[in-house]
Amino acid sequence: MSNLLKEFQDYLAKMNQYEHVVTLLYWDMKTGAPKLGQDGHVAALTHFSTESFAMSTSEKMGEMLDGLAKTEEYDILTDTWKFIVKEMKRDYDRNKRIPADVYAAFVQTQAQAGNVWLEAKEKSDYSLFAPYLQKMIDLTIEMTGYTDPGKEVYEALLDQYEAGMDSATIDRLFEDLKEELIPLVKRILSQEEQAACPVFSGYFDPNGQRKVQEMLLDYIGFCKDAGSVGESEHPFTLNFSSKDVRLTNHYYEHDPLSAIFSAIHEGGHAIFEQNVNPEYDNTVAGSCRYMGLHESQSRFYENILGRNQNFWLPIYDKLGELLPLFQEIPLEDFYREINHVKNSFIRVNADEVTYCFHIILRYEMEKAIFRDHVPVNELPALWNKKMQEYLQITPANDAEGILQDMHWSDGGFGYFPSYLLGSIYDGMLLDTLQEELGNVDELLQNGQIKKITAWLNQKIHWYGSTRKPKEAIRSVCGKEISAEPLIRYFKEKYTKIYSI
Amino acid sequence: MSNLLKEFQDYLAKMNQYEHVVTLLYWDMKTGAPKLGQDGHVAALTHFSTESFAMSTSEKMGEMLDGLAKTEEYDILTDTWKFIVKEMKRDYDRNKRIPADVYAAFVQTQAQAGNVWLEAKEKSDYSLFAPYLQKMIDLTIEMTGYTDPGKEVYEALLDQYEAGMDSATIDRLFEDLKEELIPLVKRILSQEEQAACPVFSGYFDPNGQRKVQEMLLDYIGFCKDAGSVGESEHPFTLNFSSKDVRLTNHYYEHDPLSAIFSAIHEGGHAIFEQNVNPEYDNTVAGSCRYMGLHESQSRFYENILGRNQNFWLPIYDKLGELLPLFQEIPLEDFYREINHVKNSFIRVNADEVTYCFHIILRYEMEKAIFRDHVPVNELPALWNKKMQEYLQITPANDAEGILQDMHWSDGGFGYFPSYLLGSIYDGMLLDTLQEELGNVDELLQNGQIKKITAWLNQKIHWYGSTRKPKEAIRSVCGKEISAEPLIRYFKEKYTKIYSI
């Protein structure tokens, strides 16, 4: 190993210590820190993320990266380190251009906007949030001006969350979906309305729910020695390395399905991270940075597997033991309930079909903001118009409309399409998986889900961030990205469920 | 504020960020981090504690402290900052003398010895631990040679945990206790042996135990907004500031008393830290550094209050609601069980009277190690001899003998006396409290425990580390430290319980 590489690795190790504690502070703020302890954590988090950003954009970092890019150094690097140097050089050039005060303003406004958003949502008062949304939009435009000079803002944002993705591709994919799903949903909804199953609103002991989660995580292949579970207001997954991956959940006493499907969804994210090549730990090669690809794994577990009746066959008795009310629900009714298609206001509660419209709506809103420059005070009306267009319902207030998601308060413009891209990839992955491993229904019936996990580990997870999404899908499925397999999956599944 | 003071405070703020994350890393290692995540945390913890130690012993720190000690700077400091400067100067002079490699060796050996101790205890094999115990003894002697040159080693160690305390005082206090408690225990044990109450080994739902803990913490005055509760192998309390104080517990399905009394004990530590003057937060004035004084508060709640029948009167029904098996146990039997005096091997399970002998034994062992230089291979025999002398029993193996506590593996020589000093202070505090607030039984009967908490807040907690233990006790009780009140408390309580 060259002296320069050794120096670079030592530098990264120190930077990684900062990132390690930033991750831990964030985790603890969401899962354990008491109300009055939040400020102390925020101060520490600000300190260490600023230090980490400073290290990542220092002159020293630039010199080392330039040195390693020279032929005599670069040629003797392993492939992994070649990737790391190239990727970090790209990050460095982007971030180096951000003035320190702009970065600080962004971080600070993010925190403020998050708090204001929460209050605005609780009071269902968009006017509180509007000025902060405006600030986040302005700062986002300013930031992309530095990171991606000359690039159209929304293209830059899409690329940030799903490297290599662009709006032309997404437009095509989403148009294909709309064309097929609008009539499909219409046919489904023309059926007699599905009766609500009253048992689902009974009392489900949170401890039983915790045990169900443990059972499900173990069943799908989450490794307990390399991860743990916490509780937070909203479920999320984070990781320190492949050896320490944490997920959270929230248990509602009268809604067992929320925690069950969150457990499977976050479990999918976590299994991804636990199975990245450990050589990549604590580098930009590890921990998948592509949100569409990440969501493809969580949503594969949650929807493709978790909403398949056969997934539950081997474990439905166990579910009934842990949460006895399920003993009163035949598996067929359970299956129908977890695939109950209906137009509804809240994205995170939507079924897997109408979920697509929730994302398409947000994608179109984001284009309206950054491309058409629709003023923030006109956004709620636009939201409601699109809700009516795609879901034939109009929110009674902004809390169940435009204020429902926290993403924009965080500056996460361009993230939403990832969810649906993930499902689109899933349709393709399902096809390939069945070609290579056989019928997925049979695998699930026979309790062989860990075979599926092993396949995903090998085909997707192992590579971490070293393959961009398009490349990963092309490599695994041998095809370019298309919504056709997902559409076919929806049609086959729902014409059967709804006998249409 | 002078420029120098401002500079000093900024420096402390940065140092405090390091200590903040060291605390958090430790907390997470014990309460949440998965098995495979421990190494990553250890690396970060080592990094940040080394950085923090380097900052605390830097030339810069020395210059600032010297500058602030000069008349023109010192005279304009507030009393709090005068205390901080003096105290930090003392710490600085002590720690500055420790060579960096010795400090590093100490920290590293501590970690190794901890792991070896655990293995040795599990295998009940003292020979595994002996060489590491020897190393910790040698390093401790070397360290005190730097921190306290010219001072006898064990005196230096006692002073480290309970500033201002010395072995002459402890000898006197412990001799007084022995003289009175040996005959008292003999009289108690001459009574017919108390039958074990079988209900206590029934099944107690850990969730019920968690709810009991919540109820107890709330009852004694723990503030939920400024603290939280985790789970760990051994209960402990730690704090980031007065606004974020964490405690842990461990729930045994067939031993409800363990978690109940741990909750009250750790709750006492936590209430102390939550009620220190918040001005002292993140300085050496806050967070009580005196372990005897700290234990006096945890043990006041656990023993003086928690093992008083009247403590339970207002909440015993509630306990029965949360853990229904208690409905089968009359309060009188419960009271008798939680004050069941018997000679036993394990310190943490001992009743409050024989507990004194467990500490006296350890104190004498430590004097034998550091003063009489008894070789480590002779320590188990000495331990067993003393067990026989004070408790008339001999451990069947070293796991229930000399290997039972982790303190020595950690280099915590000199800590053990703190527990008993705490109880000795408690006897005195109880006297003063009753003089000022009235009969404690009546207060407890009437559910007025928060009056007691408020009194302790005002008399002890508020001062944090700004008063050394002897000074604190003198100031509150108007007397020098004496074991007489504790002995009187034991005699009155146990002659009544055992009708002797």
Side-chain angles (χ1 to χ4, degrees), chain B residues 143-156:
Chain B
M143 292 273 277
T144 55
Y146 295 115
T147 55
D148 302 85
K151 196 165 183 176
E152 202 255 334
V153 174
Y154 196 54
E155 294 297 343

Side-chain angles (χ1 to χ4, degrees), chain A residues 66-345:
Chain A
D66 287 341
L68 289 167
K70 285 191 184 133
T71 315
E72 67 272 23
E73 290 280 351
Y74 190 77
D75 285 354
I76 54 169
L77 293 176
T78 61
D79 285 351
T80 302
W81 281 96
K82 279 179 180 153
F83 174 84
I84 293 167
V85 166
K86 267 197 292 188
E87 197 73 4
M88 290 194 74
K89 173 69 177 153
R90 183 175 167 271
D91 288 353
Y92 177 80
D93 288 340
R94 293 162 54 87
N95 293 330
K96 182 70 190 164
R97 290 189 292 261
I98 305 174
D101 59 332
V102 174
Y103 180 76
F106 186 82
V107 171
Q108 204 190 336
T109 312
Q110 235 179 354
Q112 289 171 339
N115 291 335
V116 174
W117 164 76
L118 199 65
E119 194 192 339
K121 185 184 169 189
E122 277 164 13
K123 295 184 179 163
S124 189
D125 182 350
Y126 179 78
S127 71
L128 288 175
F129 181 52
Y132 287 86
L133 178 56
Q134 186 66 59
K135 278 189 202 177
M136 286 313 297
I137 293 170
D138 295 342
L139 278 165
T140 300
I141 293 171
E142 189 177 357
M143 291 274 277
T144 54
Y146 295 115
T147 55
D148 302 85
K151 196 165 184 176
E152 203 253 334
V153 174
Y154 196 55
E155 294 296 344
L157 294 171
L158 290 173
D159 188 73
Q160 267 174 33
Y161 290 106
E162 190 72 346
M165 191 48 69
D166 53 79
S167 68
T169 308
I170 297 178
D171 283 345
R172 173 174 61 77
L173 294 167
F174 286 10
E175 284 307 317
D176 288 349
L177 278 173
K178 282 202 298 199
E179 194 178 317
E180 298 283 348
L181 295 189
I182 291 174
L184 176 66
V185 170
K186 198 173 268 178
R187 277 164 61 209
I188 291 171
L189 296 182
S190 69
Q191 295 294 99
E192 202 177 333
E193 203 190 337
Q194 184 179 328
C197 180
V199 183
F200 285 105
S201 55
Y203 174 80
F204 293 83
D205 179 15
N207 273 304
Q209 295 193 47
R210 284 183 195 100
K211 284 180 190 156
V212 166
Q213 157 155 297
E214 209 182 319
M215 182 267 285
L216 287 169
L217 288 175
D218 181 55
Y219 187 64
I220 65 178
F222 174 80
C223 169
K224 262 208 304 206
D225 282 348
S228 64
V229 177
E231 293 184 32
S232 62
E233 191 56 35
H234 303 286
F236 65 88
T237 302
L238 59 69
N239 63 301
F240 295 90
S241 70
S242 63
K243 296 179 189 70
D244 190 350
V245 183
R246 316 275 180 98
L247 60 96
T248 71
N249 211 335
H250 192 101
Y251 310 96
Y252 297 95
E253 293 183 348
H254 295 281
D255 176 9
L257 297 182
S258 170
I260 284 175
F261 283 94
S262 285
I264 305 176
H265 179 97
E266 302 303 333
H269 281 304
I271 288 171
F272 192 157
E273 291 298 340
Q274 288 186 331
N275 291 284
V276 173
N277 183 346
E279 257 189 43
Y280 303 162
D281 272 347
N282 304 323
T283 75
V284 288
S287 193
C288 176
R289 313 168 87 196
Y290 315 119
M291 292 306 113
L293 197 61
H294 228 308
E295 291 296 336
S296 82
Q297 299 308 291
S298 52
R299 297 174 69 74
F300 197 88
Y301 281 94
E302 179 193 348
N303 292 334
I304 307 285
L305 303 178
R307 295 187 201 273
N308 184 321
Q309 185 163 347
N310 301 289
F311 175 93
W312 296 96
L313 262 180
I315 54 171
Y316 200 66
D317 284 351
K318 186 77 191 162
L319 181 64
E321 274 169 39
L322 297 171
L323 290 173
L325 271 186
F326 278 113
Q327 292 170 17
E328 298 173 26
I329 310 171
L331 178 54
E332 294 66 31
D333 293 1
F334 176 79
Y335 176 62
R336 177 114 187 172
E337 179 66 26
I338 64 179
N339 292 295
H340 184 168
V341 177
K342 56 179 181 294
N343 290 327
S344 62
F345 295 110

Side-chain angles (χ1 to χ4, degrees), chain A residues 14 17-18 20-21 24-25 27-28 32-38 40-41 43-45 47-48 51 205 207 210-211 223-229 240-241 243-246, chain B residues 14 17-18 20-21 24-25 27-28 32-38 40-41 43-45 47-48 51 205 207 210-211 223-229 240-241 243-246:
Chain A
K14 187 172 173 190
Q17 301 297 9
Y18 290 89
H20 190 91
V21 297
L24 182 57
L25 285 158
W27 168 261
D28 192 69
K35 196 172 152 187
L36 297 175
Q38 297 285 335
H41 272 25
L45 196 142
H47 175 79
F48 289 107
E51 292 280 315
D205 179 15
N207 273 304
R210 284 183 195 100
K211 284 180 190 156
C223 169
K224 262 208 304 206
D225 282 348
S228 64
V229 177
F240 295 90
S241 70
K243 296 179 189 70
D244 190 350
V245 183
R246 316 275 180 98
Chain B
K14 187 172 173 191
Q17 300 297 10
Y18 290 88
H20 190 93
V21 296
L24 182 58
L25 285 157
W27 168 261
D28 192 69
K35 195 173 151 187
L36 297 175
Q38 297 285 334
H41 271 24
L45 196 142
H47 175 80
F48 289 106
E51 292 282 312
D205 178 17
N207 273 305
R210 283 183 195 100
K211 285 180 188 156
C223 169
K224 262 208 303 207
D225 282 348
S228 64
V229 177
F240 296 90
S241 70
K243 295 181 190 69
D244 190 350
V245 183
R246 316 274 179 98

Side-chain angles (χ1 to χ4, degrees), chain B residues 439-451:
Chain B
N439 185 278
V440 76
D441 292 341
E442 281 173 30
L443 287 164
L444 290 174
Q445 264 168 40
N446 299 329
Q448 294 177 307
I449 188 165
K450 291 219 175 70
K451 271 197 178 174

